[in-house]
Amino acid sequence: MSTYLSLLKNRRDFRSLWLGASVSVVGDSMTFVALSWLVLAQPGGTAKLGFLAVCYTAPVVVGGLVAGPLLDRFDKRAALITDSVLRGVAVGSIPFAAAVATVPAWLPFLVAALYGLLKMVPMAAVPAAIPDLVAPRERDAANALESVSYSLSGIIGFTLAAPLLSTLGPANLLALDAATYACFAVAVALIRRPLRPHAKPAPQAERVTVFRDRVLIGTTLAFMAFNIAEGAMTMVVAPWLAKEQLPGDGAALSLLMAALSAGELLGGFVAGAWRPRIDRLVAIAVVELVAAAGFLAALGSPDWLPVAAGFLVIGMFSAPMTVWAQSLRMERIPPSQRGRVFGVFRTMMQATPPVGAAVVTPLLVAGNLAGAVILMSVLAALPAFALLFVREGRQLWITGSSCG
């Protein structure tokens, strides 16, 4: 813990960014729960949930592709504050409407769409800003704190959502979420260091785009494949196991997701405080292979213990992938292009989990759990084997030549 406490103590600007983002993620975890509850209260609400999910997720792709270039042209502090204000006003429009009259049936869908459109702004801006706020040797710890923040804040938000929903109601729950956006905006405003655009690299480096860097492309494709497998596991296989195979129904599902989150917290903390001495791409490939083996534990159902252990392994060994790969990207991406590259790469990775859900659903409908498990394991493992044949090489934006 001394590594993280020292970073948070000595890097005031990073501390402000991290705390503000963490509070905002807690609110984000409550948003979809509250919006879903509002839609379910409408006539035919169950049938409308699918459309709400589309509004919530589909705009992410468009927003991610637009947000990146904007982050490279404007001060990232201004972008984060503007995003927080816009989403805070959007979410706050529902409790305002409930206070003065009634909530229009279309408003939750509009709020969900605006949330999805702007979601990638902080997801791209925060990692793009971290290299400006911490020293290179502190990047692993900073990236680990960002990863842990998403996991821990999500757990807190989802845990609080149910009791707050019953006591406050969905509209007031969204008012609480709007307040978390205000906290994020204030925290970003307290950052003293300018996060303005960086000067562009030399013309020779500009001619070679980072999207030809085999290290960046290889790690991103590996993450996309792993996210397909993890999306299949968390969105489809875990609920199916809880309902059809494991004792406890909803309690079993909560146990599995808690095991996954606990593994992510533990793996993230370890990865940020300990840097492997071997080539980082090899280290990323190794932990991905171990995480891929965790999917096989689903074959241990109807015994919940090996299945929960598998979820713990998946979380524990996937977290270091995120931490080490993000530090590697920060080194290789030119400072003037961090916003757009993080925006594109994170958008690509965010878009893949639903693909896994669509792929394994027919297998589970046919009762073929073994086929679904093997497919997930193969999807997660194959890119890891490919990473073993890629080396870090030199930084693209220094040498002006393709790496790998």
Side-chain angles (χ1 to χ4, degrees):
M1 290 298 297
S2 60
T3 302
Y4 301 106
L5 293 176
S6 175
L7 176 62
L8 292 174
K9 178 182 178 180
N10 297 324
R11 300 295 180 180
R12 176 187 180 277
D13 288 341
F14 172 77
R15 183 175 69 243
S16 295
L17 178 66
W18 181 75
L19 287 174
S22 299
V23 171
S24 181
V25 173
V26 172
D28 288 345
S29 302
M30 303 177 184
T31 300
F32 190 72
V33 175
L35 292 176
S36 299
W37 210 254
L38 286 169
V39 171
L40 283 171
Q42 298 179 9
T46 302
K48 296 178 181 178
L49 277 180
F51 181 59
L52 179 68
V54 171
C55 293
Y56 203 72
T57 57
V60 171
V61 176
V62 176
L65 296 178
V66 173
L70 292 177
L71 291 171
D72 289 331
R73 294 188 61 185
F74 300 99
D75 192 309
K76 297 176 184 63
R77 294 175 304 177
L80 286 169
I81 292 172
T82 301
D83 165 72
S84 296
V85 170
L86 289 176
R87 287 203 283 176
V89 170
V91 170
S93 67
I94 290 181
F96 177 78
V100 299
T102 58
V103 179
W106 50 266
L107 187 56
F109 302 99
L110 178 62
V111 171
L114 184 59
Y115 171 88
L117 186 66
L118 297 175
K119 179 180 179 179
M120 291 307 301
V121 173
M123 291 194 72
V126 171
I130 286 175
D132 293 329
L133 301 178
V134 303
R137 67 180 184 279
E138 298 171 325
R139 287 174 182 171
D140 280 352
N143 290 327
L145 282 173
E146 192 214 6
S147 176
V148 166
S149 171
Y150 277 105
S151 300
L152 187 58
S153 298
I155 293 171
I156 294 172
F158 284 123
T159 301
L160 293 177
L164 290 177
L165 189 65
S166 60
T167 56
L168 299 179
N172 289 328
L173 186 59
L174 289 171
L176 183 60
D177 182 26
T180 66
Y181 286 118
C183 291
F184 194 13
V186 171
V188 173
L190 293 175
I191 296 176
R192 296 170 298 184
R193 181 183 179 87
L195 297 175
R196 300 190 185 99
H198 289 269
K200 292 184 178 181
Q204 182 185 15
E206 283 187 299
R207 289 197 295 267
V208 182
T209 172
V210 294
F211 297 102
R212 289 176 54 189
D213 186 324
R214 278 187 272 172
V215 172
L216 297 176
I217 295 300
T219 53
T220 301
L221 292 178
F223 271 76
M224 290 175 67
F226 188 88
N227 285 352
I228 290 174
E230 189 173 24
M233 179 67 96
T234 57
M235 298 173 71
V236 178
V237 175
W240 184 85
L241 286 172
K243 184 177 184 299
E244 303 292 340
Q245 299 280 318
L246 303 176
D249 295 329
L253 180 59
S254 297
L255 174 66
L256 296 181
M257 300 311 294
L260 180 68
S261 298
E264 290 173 344
L265 287 174
L266 179 60
F269 272 119
V270 172
W274 172 75
R275 179 169 177 171
R277 297 182 180 181
I278 60 175
D279 185 283
R280 277 178 298 179
L281 285 175
V282 175
I284 292 169
V286 169
V287 293
E288 184 170 357
L289 286 172
V290 177
F295 290 95
L296 296 174
L299 296 175
S301 64
D303 187 352
W304 64 267
L305 185 59
V307 180
F311 273 70
L312 182 69
V313 168
I314 293 170
M316 188 182 304
F317 287 89
S318 63
M321 292 167 51
T322 301
V323 174
W324 296 336
Q326 187 152 294
S327 295
L328 190 59
R329 294 186 189 108
M330 289 177 178
E331 294 175 8
R332 304 181 72 85
I333 299 171
S336 63
Q337 299 180 36
R338 283 180 183 143
R340 71 191 69 190
V341 177
F342 273 113
V344 171
F345 284 172
R346 283 203 158 184
T347 299
M348 292 167 63
M349 290 183 278
Q350 286 285 313
T352 50
V355 176
V359 169
V360 300
T361 298
L363 293 172
L364 293 184
V365 170
N368 188 1
L369 174 62
V373 169
I374 293 173
L375 178 60
M376 290 185 296
S377 299
V378 170
L379 280 171
L382 281 180
F385 281 113
L387 282 182
L388 294 174
F389 299 97
V390 181
R391 292 294 178 266
E392 290 187 33
R394 295 174 296 173
Q395 294 178 18
L396 172 67
W397 59 279
I398 291 178
T399 64
S401 58
S402 182
C403 299

